[in-house]
Amino acid sequence: MHIAIIGNGISGTTAARFLRKYSHHRITMISAESEYFFARTGMMYAFMGHLRFSDLLPYENWFWKKNKIDLVFDHVTRIDVLEKRLYLKRSPEISYDKLIIATGSKVNMPDIPGTSLHGVTGFYHKGDLENITNLHRSISNAVIIGGGLIGIELAEMFHSKNIPVTMVVRDAGYWRNTLPYEESEMVGSLIKKQGIKLLLNTEVREIQGNAEGKVKSVVLTDDNVIECDFVGIATGVLPQISLLNDTGIATEKGILVDEYLQTNNPDIFAAGDCAQIRSPDSGRKSIEPVWYTGRIMGELVANNICRNPVKYKPGIWFNSAKFFGMEYQVYGFVPNKKSTEYDNVFWQHPDTQKSVRIMYEQSTEKVVGFGLMGIRYRHEVCEKWILEETQLSTVLADLSLANFDPEFFRQYEPLVLEQYFQQTGKKILPAKAKNLNAVIKFLKNVKR
Amino acid sequence: MKKIIKLLGVLIFLTGFVIFLLALREQRFTLMPHVVESVIVNPYHKQLIKSVDYEMLEEQYESSEAFVNRLERLFRDVKIVEGLNTKNTSSEIQKNGAPLSEYDINQYIFELTLASQLGGIIVESSWWLRMTFGLMMLGALLYIFTGLYESPESNNAGVWQQSFQNRGLFGLLTGSFLIGFYIVLYWFPLYITSWIHLADPLSRSLNGNNAGQWFLYGAMYTLAILVMGTRMLIRYRHDRYQIFRTISVMFFQTAFAFIIPEILSSLNKPRFDFKDMWPLKYDFFFEWNLNTLLQSGHIGVFMLVWGIVLFLVAVPVFTWFFGKRWYCSWVCGCGALAETAGDPFRQLSNKKLFAWRIERYLIYAILIFVIVMTLLVLYTFFTGSANIGPLNSYDVRKWYGFLIGSVFAGVIGVGFYPLMGNRVWCRFGCPLAAYMGIIQKFRSRFRITVNGDQCISCGNCSAYCEMGIDVRAYAQNGQDVVRASCVGCGICVAVCPRGVLSLENASEDISQRGNIKRTIKLNLDDI
Ligand SMILES: Cc1cc2nc3c(=O)[nH]c(=O)nc-3n(C[C@H](O)[C@H](O)[C@H](O)COP(=O)(O)OP(=O)(O)OC[C@H]3O[C@@H](n4cnc5c(N)ncnc54)[C@H](O)[C@@H]3O)c2cc1C
Ligand code: SF4
Ligand code: SF4
């Protein structure tokens, strides 16, 4: 059998690796972006000089040949689903028996005038990185549109090169459509502390260019004008599905797939950013453009092609990020708005660089989520607590089981309990600080 | 402002460095009778040298070369006299133990040259000390302290974009200087007597004597660790693991490696570094060391037992508890330099699979080499015979000392910092690291835990692993890192932007450490 994969991102690559693990099928992976799989998540570090671009490649170049994964560095222009054939820009066409579409995302360009000017770019593809790397020496003022994860990465990148940055954010706080108020404020004040201008409740109405077609300024909804020679677009991403027009493969925002990640064509699967789950599990979204889901889907697709199909069950939601120096982690359900159904214990360090938020269902006191700033918690411990619907009091007493900060770091769990006491008047005695032995034991016994 | 101070720091450092280089031009030598008296104490040798012409005494030489040439001629004459006298003095030779050997001559020439130097560097030695090491330290510290005004989280911004740290011009220059320095220090110390004299004031204050080449080296080594250790403390001021560990290596180097041996020697006890151990200290079982220790009374015997207990008991026990990091990143002198002065270069280690292949063969070959050599040496010690089959234990130890002790550990180990990273020796060469690595791999509570599925494969951990471990390869699979070579520096933990890694110890699962791959989501029960 010949399995073709369009896209060599984390989804396509994981699929290829597991296909190889499970089978001897012929595997061809096609991408127009880069010859070899690279971690787009680390692009900012390549720009800032922490890394070279070559450091973003998780596998050495011999890896693909050794594992008999054929790579094609070209653009797929058309899929012929009847003939089961792919047409490419330069190379001869490729026939397939099964096809995995893992084309990822594209930048969601806002619908305003001027987005095609020189000096306006998103930050998703390798080309964007090269573009910004080439441009940055001549940039004296940068504007970033969008207050999300990519927006702050772009801001940090320019800031590290001492280029003044203004972030224009539509919401009332940084990443406020995802972060609860306090966390959003913490990041917001961190951004401002760096000397970056953060304009909230503001949108860009128009990007203006000069006679040479270069960016010269942006006009805001409040009619203010900011002079700038670079505009970074960070208003989110959309599934990259233009290739599927007229193929009969069902799409909506993304490529519609069932719980086996199969499209409406039984020989064609989709995985990663480009896939849209028809009926996602509760607590999960139909499109989740993150690294982790791409990896899980890639593995699942490989399995479902080679072995008995298994349903996509991504489990408890998790994500992480870093805002300048401040690390962020989330496990489970941590809504950005208050509700009557859920309550939380929220502790914040006075220096506002650290916080712990534990969400629980009000009626039952079952813990449903953890949100962390500047403190690391253990993925598996939090996951287990949530999956087993553990009571808040149990979680709090054992909280240090979850602490994943490096050795000798100060532990703040007793302060979280103190905060809980002040919030509720209930006193919980902290269990002794836990070491890895205790964690392993805790994770091993399924129910205690 | 920050930039100006940085620039000022660089300028002051370079000024000190240039004066340091200029110090080499200070060359005036005159052999005084009292110098001969104090350097040549062996009565037979003394008698020999007295039998030749003393014309060079009190004559002034303007270069070490001329002076050394003249000394060599002097000793040739001495050898001739010795040859003439052999018959008459054979009883004398017996009494004094040894004829005048080639080794003795070289040693005398070096010591006579060193002690015969005159001029500003001798008279105004503390001025010179201040203008060289003083200025260099001041400049370096000025530069380093500006780090306080930089966010420690952006530590590595620009690392690959500056030539000092990316094997560019400044990196190559620094490497060349270091390599040259080691070669001169080991094999041509005659030409750096001026530098050795720079350390005289320091040496006198510690042990009452003038400096030798190894004192100079020890002092420079320690200063480098203290100054660059300060840099680490500032750079990682947000990370308590790094702070504690850096203070620890600074302390062990200063107290154990530098000051205590000097004090011991001024008390006429063997110079002993209580943290240095076989097989890294490969000459521990050499006759001269065993004899020195055995002849030094209780303290000597204690040192001998201590040295053996260290590698026989302390290494397995501590490595079982904490991994080899307890030594490599907290105590060891080589590690101390690598983790402080070497920190700017950690990203230069090779992460490729082929490097790992070389590493495996090389480091265990050297471990075998040191074991065989030591067995031969002990055989000679107990039986008095140097030859075992085709092997001569003196030749073997000479080769080990030259190839491994000097070329590998010194010239390559440190000289290649700016070219191949700061742990070349620890990774490819150190037999103690090899020994501890075996324990760490098979029987230790230590591992680097990976936090669930959180890795985004960005590659920061691998890039900054000085041991060239591809940490990402483990992290992206959710697999704990269990590797013989990991020295537990904790830098991968510090640089990971997603907080994925942590150095941890646990006894629960020693034989299954690193078995689980968390990112594999499919449960076979589902299928
Ligand atoms: C700067 C940045 C930082 C990020 N940080 C994080 C993070 O910290 N955590 C996280 O979870 N997620 C992060 N993400 C998101 C994450 O990178 C994506 O979710 C992930 O890369 C998606 O993987 P994928 O394999 O589905 O698609 P992609 O990585 O987009 O790969 C798809 C590939 O297919 C190619 N392709 C598309 N169409 C064709 C065609 N017609 N012919 C040939 N090739 C084609 C594309 O060029 C691309 O190379 C980040 C994204 C960016 C841009
Ligand atoms: S794996 Fe991490 S702790 Fe071990 S040597 Fe490498 S960087 Fe240091
Ligand atoms: S630095 Fe962290 S996120 Fe990046 S590859 Fe290493 S473990 Fe993964």
Side-chain angles (χ1 to χ4, degrees):
Chain A
M1 188 155 74
H2 181 207
I3 302 162
I5 305 170
I6 309 180
N8 69 350
I10 181 68
S11 317
T13 296
T14 311
R17 280 177 48 233
F18 278 92
L19 282 172
R20 183 44 74 240
K21 200 173 247 170
Y22 297 147
S23 76
H24 297 290
H25 298 320
R26 204 178 126 209
I27 304 168
T28 305
M29 187 156 64
I30 310 153
S31 172
E33 184 179 11
S34 63
E35 205 170 340
Y36 300 106
F37 165 52
F38 74 97
R40 86 174 69 261
T41 45
M43 288 199 303
M44 68 181 291
Y45 299 105
F47 174 83
M48 299 196 297
H50 295 229
L51 302 173
R52 297 160 296 180
F53 186 81
S54 59
D55 295 321
L56 302 183
L57 271 52
Y59 303 96
E60 286 184 55
N61 295 349
W62 48 258
F63 175 88
W64 311 100
K65 202 165 202 168
K66 179 168 170 262
N67 287 292
K68 297 209 184 66
I69 297 171
D70 298 338
L71 301 181
V72 177
F73 184 28
D74 202 348
H75 189 85
V76 178
T77 50
R78 190 163 74 84
I79 307 174
D80 185 336
V81 292
L82 296 177
E83 297 285 325
K84 294 199 184 178
R85 203 170 285 161
L86 304 177
Y87 291 88
L88 287 83
K89 208 174 207 164
R90 297 183 302 270
S91 331
E93 63 245 37
I94 295 174
S95 301
Y96 63 82
D97 298 302
K98 299 275 177 196
L99 176 66
I100 300 171
I101 304 177
T103 47
S105 297
K106 62 178 184 199
V107 174
N108 176 20
M109 278 289 168
D111 193 12
I112 51 174
T115 50
S116 56
L117 286 165
H118 184 77
V120 181
T121 171
F123 189 51
Y124 188 86
H125 287 108
K126 187 182 175 203
D128 300 332
L129 171 66
E130 287 160 356
N131 201 358
I132 295 175
T133 306
N134 293 336
L135 279 176
H136 86 269
R137 268 174 238 287
S138 59
I139 298 174
S140 52
N141 214 346
V143 168
I144 313 290
I145 307 179
L149 293 174
I150 310 269
I152 200 166
E153 286 195 4
L154 275 171
E156 183 171 352
M157 283 157 58
F158 287 114
H159 183 69
S160 83
K161 302 286 179 195
N162 299 317
I163 297 167
V165 184
T166 308
M167 290 179 79
V168 183
V169 176
R170 183 176 54 191
D171 295 329
Y174 170 77
W175 208 25
R176 189 65 181 91
N177 61 8
T178 304
L179 291 181
Y181 174 76
E182 288 85 357
E183 280 91 330
S184 170
E185 288 298 303
M186 285 165 80
V187 184
S189 63
L190 193 62
I191 292 174
K192 287 183 216 149
K193 218 175 89 186
Q194 310 287 328
I196 292 168
K197 267 196 228 103
L198 180 63
L199 304 181
L200 298 171
N201 294 314
T202 314
E203 284 180 73
V204 171
R205 213 174 55 201
E206 187 188 344
I207 306 173
Q208 295 175 324
N210 61 14
E212 297 153 50
K214 286 186 180 164
V215 178
K216 127 176 160 314
S217 56
V218 295
V219 186
L220 305 178
T221 37
D222 58 12
D223 290 332
N224 278 330
V225 174
I226 306 176
E227 304 286 322
C228 60
D229 36 23
F230 178 87
V231 177
I233 306 287
T235 42
V237 293
L238 292 173
Q240 171 74 273
I241 56 170
S242 51
L243 181 62
L244 281 83
N245 294 342
D246 312 321
T247 53
I249 301 170
T251 59
E252 206 178 273
K253 266 189 165 164
I255 304 169
L256 287 169
V257 292
D258 62 14
E259 63 249 273
Y260 297 100
L261 303 183
Q262 203 161 33
T263 64
N264 59 344
N265 180 326
D267 291 325
I268 301 181
F269 295 76
D273 279 21
C274 64
Q276 178 178 356
I277 312 275
R278 283 179 196 267
S279 42
D281 286 356
S282 77
R284 307 286 303 216
K285 299 193 175 106
S286 62
I287 300 177
E288 289 175 339
V290 292
W291 190 257
Y292 313 118
T293 48
R295 197 166 55 199
I296 301 172
M297 288 189 194
E299 184 188 341
L300 194 80
V301 156
N303 177 80
N304 290 357
I305 289 178
C306 300
R307 315 200 296 185
N308 285 340
V310 175
K311 285 186 182 165
Y312 176 61
K313 290 250 171 282
I316 300 295
W317 166 254
F318 66 95
N319 201 0
S320 56
K322 191 171 183 179
F323 310 112
F324 290 91
M326 191 159 63
E327 283 171 22
Y328 158 76
Q329 290 181 328
V330 59
Y331 301 107
F333 177 63
V334 181
N336 63 341
K337 291 195 192 74
K338 291 203 162 61
S339 73
T340 48
E341 223 179 310
Y342 297 98
D343 205 345
N344 63 56
V345 182
F346 180 72
W347 167 83
Q348 191 178 28
H349 193 276
D351 72 3
T352 73
Q353 303 277 315
K354 290 182 177 63
S355 70
V356 175
R357 185 185 293 275
I358 307 174
M359 297 297 306
Y360 60 95
E361 202 178 54
Q362 207 158 34
S363 51
T364 58
E365 300 234 325
K366 285 179 206 156
V367 168
V368 296
F370 296 83
L372 301 138
M373 287 280 184
I375 293 183
R376 302 172 180 176
Y377 269 17
R378 285 183 204 270
H379 188 171
E380 290 146 299
V381 171
C382 294
E383 188 177 63
K384 188 169 152 88
W385 276 332
I386 298 170
L387 275 175
E388 293 178 355
E389 308 191 326
T390 314
Q391 288 289 306
L392 178 66
S393 52
T394 314
V395 167
L396 285 174
D398 282 346
L399 199 55
S400 65
L401 272 181
N403 190 298
F404 193 66
D405 274 339
E407 287 162 304
F408 308 120
F409 275 44
R410 287 207 172 79
Q411 308 235 325
Y412 296 98
E413 281 71 36
L415 297 179
V416 179
L417 297 196
E418 179 62 33
Q419 173 72 28
Y420 177 69
F421 176 68
Q422 281 175 13
Q423 253 173 258
T424 62
K426 289 184 216 161
K427 189 110 197 148
I428 292 178
L429 289 180
K432 207 168 111 261
K434 296 291 177 20
N435 58 18
L436 183 60
N437 273 335
V439 173
I440 295 172
K441 281 188 192 144
F442 169 75
L443 291 175
K444 267 188 193 159
N445 56 6
V446 182
K447 241 258 100 105
R448 289 184 311 162
Chain B
M1 191 61 193
K2 201 171 68 191
K3 270 197 179 147
I4 297 174
I5 297 179
K6 270 191 174 177
L7 189 68
L8 195 67
V10 172
L11 286 179
I12 295 177
F13 178 87
L14 287 179
T15 312
F17 185 68
V18 168
I19 299 176
F20 180 66
L21 292 180
L22 288 178
L24 286 180
R25 294 187 39 188
E26 281 283 308
Q27 301 206 342
R28 261 161 59 212
F29 300 85
T30 298
L31 191 62
M32 304 293 270
H34 72 268
V35 168
V36 180
E37 291 286 328
S38 67
V39 166
I40 302 178
V41 283
N42 180 315
Y44 167 59
H45 295 170
K46 193 173 276 183
Q47 185 199 334
L48 276 180
I49 197 154
K50 278 192 175 149
S51 61
V52 301
D53 223 350
Y54 262 83
E55 62 181 78
M56 81 176 284
L57 282 181
E58 302 182 39
E59 215 174 278
Q60 188 160 318
Y61 291 79
E62 296 299 328
S63 82
S64 60
E65 227 154 31
F67 186 73
V68 170
N69 278 340
R70 186 63 191 85
L71 274 179
E72 277 168 356
R73 209 145 29 94
L74 185 80
F75 277 99
R76 267 204 300 279
D77 294 346
V78 171
K79 280 304 268 188
I80 292 168
V81 173
E82 189 186 19
L84 293 176
N85 289 353
T86 320
K87 285 184 206 102
N88 326 348
T89 54
S90 58
S91 62
E92 200 109 16
I93 291 176
Q94 260 162 17
K95 209 171 76 203
N96 290 297
L100 189 60
S101 69
E102 204 55 36
Y103 174 82
D104 292 331
I105 294 178
N106 285 336
Q107 200 57 33
Y108 284 146
I109 290 181
F110 173 66
E111 284 177 24
L112 288 173
T113 312
L114 188 61
S116 300
Q117 188 160 5
L118 303 172
I121 237 161
I122 311 295
V123 190
E124 288 152 351
S125 53
S126 40
W127 182 88
W128 277 94
L129 186 63
R130 264 180 273 136
M131 295 309 284
T132 52
F133 291 122
L135 281 187
M136 286 194 273
M137 280 172 64
L138 177 70
L141 286 172
L142 262 185
Y143 187 95
I144 285 165
F145 275 107
T146 60
L148 283 173
Y149 299 96
E150 278 159 19
S151 144
E153 279 85 12
S154 55
N155 270 341
N156 292 325
V159 162
W160 281 106
Q161 291 160 350
Q162 44 181 299
S163 81
F164 182 58
Q165 289 181 278
N166 73 1
R167 281 192 211 106
L169 181 65
F170 286 109
L172 295 180
L173 283 177
T174 312
S176 313
F177 174 77
L178 287 174
I179 293 169
F181 176 77
Y182 271 88
I183 291 176
V184 175
L185 179 78
Y186 282 135
W187 296 292
F188 307 100
L190 274 171
Y191 300 102
I192 52 167
T193 51
S194 301
W195 285 353
I196 297 173
H197 285 298
L198 288 176
D200 281 345
L202 200 58
S203 179
R204 279 196 297 266
S205 68
L206 274 173
N207 61 23
N209 301 319
N210 279 343
Q213 103 219 55
W214 299 117
F215 182 90
L216 168 77
Y217 180 54
M220 287 175 69
Y221 200 98
T222 309
L223 288 180
I225 287 172
L226 291 179
V227 171
M228 292 299 276
T230 311
R231 171 178 172 280
M232 279 300 275
L233 292 175
I234 290 177
R235 208 171 142 76
Y236 287 101
R237 59 190 180 279
H238 59 308
D239 185 329
R240 307 222 306 174
Y241 183 77
Q242 298 303 332
I243 291 176
F244 289 171
R245 168 179 92 82
T246 304
I247 291 174
S248 173
V249 290
M250 288 163 79
F251 165 77
F252 276 107
Q253 174 62 30
T254 316
F256 279 57
F258 190 58
I259 295 180
I260 294 177
E262 291 307 328
I263 293 176
L264 285 171
S265 106
S266 69
L267 297 173
N268 265 326
K269 299 278 183 275
R271 297 173 159 268
F272 195 79
D273 178 348
F274 282 92
K275 66 165 178 49
D276 208 2
M277 67 171 111
W278 187 87
L280 174 58
K281 181 178 168 54
Y282 58 91
D283 53 6
F284 186 74
F285 292 104
F286 284 11
E287 283 108 331
W288 64 262
N289 191 42
L290 294 181
N291 287 334
T292 320
L293 295 181
L294 290 171
Q295 286 156 15
S296 305
H298 291 309
I299 187 157
V301 175
F302 172 76
M303 288 166 176
L304 183 62
V305 174
W306 174 267
I308 293 172
V309 168
L310 262 189
F311 80 85
L312 269 189
V313 182
V315 163
V317 170
F318 282 115
T319 310
W320 186 83
F321 270 105
F322 307 114
K324 76 202 242 187
R325 59 188 172 138
W326 76 272
Y327 195 74
C328 297
S329 295
W330 286 74
V331 175
C332 179
C334 305
L337 192 73
E339 295 295 344
T340 53
D343 178 69
F345 308 113
R346 58 174 64 249
Q347 68 283 358
L348 299 174
S349 62
N350 192 315
K351 315 300 183 313
K352 297 221 164 80
L353 191 68
F354 92 86
W356 176 67
R357 294 221 172 99
I358 295 174
E359 167 191 328
R360 274 200 314 176
Y361 286 113
L362 202 52
I363 195 166
Y364 294 113
I366 291 174
L367 179 60
I368 292 168
F369 190 3
V370 79
I371 291 173
V372 170
M373 176 199 70
T374 304
L375 290 176
L376 295 177
V377 165
L378 285 174
Y379 178 84
T380 307
F381 179 74
F382 287 115
T383 65
S385 120
N387 289 308
I388 302 99
L391 295 173
N392 176 300
S393 91
Y394 288 96
D395 285 348
V396 175
R397 76 183 78 173
K398 209 172 77 194
W399 279 106
Y400 188 93
F402 173 73
L403 284 177
I404 312 296
S406 306
V407 175
F408 203 156
V411 179
I412 298 179
V414 180
F416 276 56
Y417 271 12
L419 310 174
M420 289 173 66
N422 53 336
R423 286 273 195 180
V424 178
W425 161 248
C426 313
R427 180 183 179 193
F428 295 99
C430 176
L432 179 56
Y435 164 39
M436 289 193 289
I438 296 173
I439 301 173
Q440 170 158 299
K441 174 89 194 173
F442 295 106
R443 270 257 157 286
S444 166
R445 306 185 327 140
F446 173 72
R447 85 292 305 276
I448 304 176
T449 25
V450 169
N451 197 13
D453 297 345
Q454 299 271 6
C455 174
I456 52 168
S457 303
C458 69
N460 276 291
C461 52
S462 297
Y464 287 91
C465 175
E466 54 192 355
M467 298 304 281
I469 298 173
D470 190 0
V471 186
R472 165 172 58 190
Y474 297 80
Q476 65 190 359
N477 284 338
Q479 182 183 20
D480 292 353
V481 187
V482 179
R483 277 286 288 268
S485 62
C486 170
V487 290
C489 65
I491 294 297
C492 54
V493 176
V495 300
C496 171
R498 293 293 178 274
V500 174
L501 307 163
S502 181
L503 309 180
E504 293 194 277
N505 312 306
S507 51
E508 260 313 288
D509 59 344
I510 285 189
S511 51
Q512 297 124 38
R513 285 173 305 155
N515 285 2
I516 303 172
K517 293 189 177 176
R518 298 183 189 79
T519 55
I520 296 186
K521 275 288 156 198
L522 298 177
N523 190 337
L524 285 176
D525 304 341
D526 298 349
I527 296 170

